[in-house]
Amino acid sequence: MIDLLAARSQMAISLGFHIIFACIGMAMPFFMSMAHWRWLKTRDKLYLNLTKVWMRGVAIFFAMGAVSGTVLAFELGLLFPGFMEKAGPVIGLPFAWEGTAFFLEAIALGFYLYGWNKINQWVHWAAGLAMGVFGIASAFFVICANGWMNSPTGFDIVGDKWTNIDPIAAMFNPAALQQGIHMSIAAFAATGFGVAGIHAFLLFRERQDRLHAAAIRIALIFGTTAALLQPISGDLSAKMVADTQPEKFAAMESHFKTEKGAGLLIGGIPLEDERRVILGLRIPGMLSFLAHGDFDSEVTGLDAFPEEDWPPVIVVHVAFQVMVGIGFLLAGLSLLYLFIRWKKQQLLDHPWFLLLLIVCTPIGFIAVEAGWVVTEVGRQPWVVYKILRVADTVTPMPGLWIPLLLFTGMYVALTAVGAWLMARQIKSVRGLAPESEKDGL
């Protein structure tokens, strides 16, 4: 039991770090490409400086994402060999495509880093854009594999053998597209507000620096657009979960009893043993409507399933509330930003607005982490939903707490190095006045 907990914890910690690096790696190349495009169109040196600052950040997070992603691949096979033995022949295709997309992303990064003044300027710009496209493709293929774990298709089980394997059907499982879209939008919202918050902090200290104002505006184009789209994507994802993983959906809402006209729970603390919720607010009929489009429809509760198949209710419920709460907060902030841009654009550089952006710097990433807790913990105790339990796939090797400590230390060190490198980049921004004539890397 201790080794199972250690194996689970190691995967959770690894994913917790990697997902942040991956989100930034997916979104930042598009921010960089927009700044680069404005440099090519306007020849304003400000945008060239901003492009090169962000380019260094993209390179740093690409390296960190590559390291953490490689470790995750090894961990999956070493900690859960039972999963790879059974699932490998079914779900290997998206991992192969993920590797191909990552390879192309690395090539595009090389062209971009070393292509300044050596290749056609628009080909060079396209290389930067290609990094983002291949980065999203790489993430999407990984999410296809994760979606299959939530909604397994593309094979039959005869006796104890998995047969009639269709890798295409497995890759394009019912959960793949919804999860891929939801995760990609989350990456842009979190990174957009994160980058805007960092530059808001720098602009708050040096109010005349146009570079930071330009950076905030570019970051918020992506961040606000994503934040306004995310509630729509979230609603579609919730409907999909209600249909394909009703236990997870019930845990998200702490919905213990199957009933028609179920109320939507806001907040609250579930008491699992007593099968009730305290301190929450229920909106009558709304959960039925959100799940099935009908205020009187029946929503399956946890009482419809054996208790040993329940996910940890309080963990999933709290994570879901955090994710949804932050999602609506960022959507509201996006509407405020658009209103200010429309009516009183000068307020964008006002101290209170900059402070608001600074406060919001990390919350998008907190929502991303909470979302993955909902996805992964909400599937427990299954590694492949309704087919393979996590406990049946873990390695029999004892002493798994040792690699848990080692890899946790490695991720902390990797994050510290990344933070140090990014701090150096942020400090270097302070010397990049818009009228600077510096042109080198």
Side-chain angles (χ1 to χ4, degrees):
M1 184 60 71
I2 292 177
D3 285 329
L4 175 60
L5 178 62
R8 276 178 156 149
S9 300
Q10 186 172 331
M11 285 299 295
I13 290 170
S14 300
L15 274 169
F17 279 97
H18 177 71
I19 197 170
I20 300 301
F21 306 149
C23 282
I24 298 172
M26 289 165 65
M28 275 304 296
F30 290 95
F31 299 8
M32 178 189 73
S33 295
M34 177 167 279
H36 192 173
W37 180 79
R38 288 190 174 176
W39 153 246
L40 294 174
K41 298 298 287 185
T42 66
R43 292 299 169 181
D44 185 337
K45 200 67 170 287
L46 175 150
Y47 291 111
L48 176 63
N49 291 337
L50 181 58
T51 301
K52 291 183 175 179
V53 167
W54 280 351
M55 176 188 70
R56 297 185 190 103
V58 167
I60 291 170
F61 278 101
F62 177 85
M64 294 171 68
V67 171
S68 57
T70 303
V71 169
L72 265 174
F74 279 110
E75 286 178 344
L76 199 57
L78 293 173
L79 296 176
F80 300 99
F83 170 77
M84 295 306 294
E85 178 189 357
K86 294 286 188 181
V90 183
I91 204 63
L93 183 61
F95 285 120
W97 281 107
E98 187 267 343
T100 303
F102 177 73
F103 182 62
L104 294 172
E105 183 184 1
I107 292 174
L109 174 63
F111 268 99
Y112 196 79
L113 286 177
Y114 298 103
W116 289 96
N117 303 320
K118 296 183 177 67
I119 58 178
N120 177 280
Q121 62 179 7
W122 287 106
V123 173
H124 183 230
W125 172 80
L129 191 64
M131 284 174 53
V133 173
F134 290 129
I136 288 182
S138 177
F140 176 74
F141 290 126
V142 171
I143 293 169
C144 284
N146 183 268
W148 177 82
M149 294 161 70
N150 292 322
S151 185
T153 53
F155 67 105
D156 295 319
I157 298 179
V158 179
D160 63 346
K161 292 186 177 180
W162 296 22
T163 185
N164 298 327
I165 294 171
D166 182 347
I168 300 294
M171 188 167 84
F172 294 106
N173 57 80
L177 185 60
Q178 288 289 352
Q179 280 193 220
I181 292 173
H182 197 58
M183 183 67 240
S184 299
I185 293 175
F188 278 90
T191 307
F193 278 93
V195 171
I198 291 172
H199 283 282
F201 172 73
L202 296 169
L203 185 60
F204 191 81
R205 297 174 59 180
E206 299 180 41
R207 302 296 304 282
Q208 304 304 315
D209 197 328
R210 289 197 304 125
L211 184 141
H212 301 308
I216 291 171
R217 284 168 170 77
I218 291 176
L220 287 182
I221 288 174
F222 293 96
T224 55
T225 303
L228 290 173
L229 290 174
Q230 193 65 312
I232 301 171
S233 170
D235 177 62
L236 295 174
S237 295
K239 285 181 167 60
M240 183 264 295
V241 172
D243 288 337
T244 59
Q245 295 179 278
E247 303 100 312
K248 179 188 286 185
F249 186 78
M252 287 157 56
E253 276 292 321
S254 294
H255 187 62
F256 289 103
K257 183 181 177 182
T258 301
E259 61 182 347
K260 294 183 178 179
L264 177 70
L265 177 64
I266 299 176
I269 301 173
L271 304 177
E272 197 168 331
D273 292 339
E274 302 177 26
R275 303 191 177 194
R276 66 187 183 94
V277 178
I278 60 172
L279 304 178
L281 172 66
R282 284 197 185 274
I283 303 176
M286 188 56 73
L287 184 62
S288 291
F289 179 77
L290 291 176
H292 304 299
D294 181 350
F295 287 101
D296 295 321
S297 64
E298 182 176 276
V299 178
T300 305
L302 287 164
D303 62 350
F305 307 97
E307 198 162 333
E308 62 267 23
D309 289 348
W310 290 11
V313 178
I314 189 168
V315 175
V316 178
H317 175 74
V318 171
F320 180 66
Q321 295 289 318
V322 169
M323 177 187 70
V324 172
I326 291 176
F328 277 102
L329 176 63
L330 291 181
L333 184 58
S334 299
L335 291 175
L336 174 65
Y337 171 74
L338 294 175
F339 176 78
I340 292 174
R341 283 211 67 167
W342 177 43
K343 286 289 188 181
K344 297 181 182 296
Q345 194 161 138
Q346 69 277 12
L347 287 181
L348 293 176
D349 297 338
H350 196 281
W352 72 262
F353 186 74
L354 297 179
L355 286 171
L356 185 59
L357 288 177
I358 294 169
V359 169
C360 290
T361 302
I363 64 172
F365 295 110
I366 294 172
V368 168
E369 297 283 9
W372 272 103
V373 169
V374 173
T375 302
E376 297 302 300
V377 179
R379 192 184 57 245
Q380 301 303 313
W382 308 98
V383 63
V384 180
Y385 181 61
K386 293 289 190 184
I387 292 176
L388 200 58
R389 290 179 183 270
V390 177
D392 296 331
T393 64
V394 71
T395 175
M397 186 181 79
L400 293 182
W401 60 272
I402 296 175
L404 168 64
L405 294 177
L406 289 174
F407 277 94
T408 301
M410 186 203 73
Y411 277 112
V412 171
L414 180 65
T415 303
V417 170
W420 175 70
L421 290 171
M422 287 307 300
R424 284 169 55 90
Q425 295 305 313
I426 291 171
K427 287 180 180 177
S428 72
V429 175
R430 300 178 64 184
L432 291 176
E435 63 276 14
S436 171
E437 294 300 323
K438 289 187 289 185
D439 197 20
L441 293 173

